[in-house]
Amino acid sequence: MPRIAYVDGAYVPLAEAAVPIEDRGFQFADGIYEVAASLNGRLFDWPAHAARLRRNLAELSIAEPMGPKALELVGRTLVRKNGAAQALLYIQVTRGNARRDHPFPAAARPTLVMTARPFDYAPRLRQQATGIKVLTQPEQRWGRCDLKTTGLLANVLAKQAARQAGAFEAWMIEPDGTVTEGASTNAWIVQPDGTLVTHPADRKILPGIMRDTLMRLARGAGMKIEERPFDLAEAERAAEAFITSTSAPCLGVVAIDGRPIGGGTPGPVSRRLGALLWDEIERQTGYRPAG
Ligand SMILES: Cc1ncc(COP(=O)(O)O)c(C=O)c1O
């Protein structure tokens, strides 16, 4: 089945989908995006994704191209047109197409683009069992990492360095050793007493939707959570470490820069949290990966 994209009001073959080269998304990375999982045609945690997208647009004074209900309808229609039972829905909104000049254009209309990429979560279950490796990288991003902007060059470079080193994810390290988050995931450690620790949702990290959902489930299961900065030395001493994101719900970290974490295998806390998340994913969407 040929893949279909949505570009500014039209469903078009992905290979022909295009925006003008003066679009500010291309010229300045002047835009934001959102990624939600569509499982069995249902968008997991959609209200939270729609709220984050709305907040991002408001923070950057980009007009909303359509309301959350219409956005959901277009997203679901696009997934259906792509015939994908399991997909990642990418929504991108830029400030629009205008003559290249830094200040906001007076009359530009925001550009709305969506794609639906078939996505198989089964490999994630295998990674959940084996764990993943992390490579540390210097934090080189800007001062508003809470905004999900398309300006991802520092994240791209960090992820590439990780993959070249045989690691799945890069952790961003500030000059004082603080671990902020991953290149495309939130970072967590587990203290020996079982307390979960993750960076506070301030301007230094993206407030991940999976981070929030995991927090809610963990609290519901009676676990203690500390939202505070932790540094690399503390991570290396931790009982466990793990990452969360929409496309990698909860994966145990078994090594950082080649040094084993905990027992060098995914620990019981991250495995339990992974199980809680899959239960929640199944509760909302009816989907559970085979494996
Ligand atoms: C920098 C960064 N942090 C965290 C996340 C996790 O966010 P979510 O749980 O909403 O997928 C992402 C997701 O792409 C990200 O890019």
Side-chain angles (χ1 to χ4, degrees), residues 33-35 49 52 141 145 148 152 155 181-186 205-211 244-247:
Y33 74 110
E34 193 53 55
V35 185
H49 285 282
R52 183 169 68 182
R141 299 175 301 160
C145 295
K148 200 165 170 64
L152 289 172
N155 308 56
E181 63 178 334
S184 63
T185 59
N186 289 114
I205 69 157
L206 185 82
I209 305 300
M210 207 53 96
R211 172 186 183 277
T244 55
S245 78
T246 295
S247 63

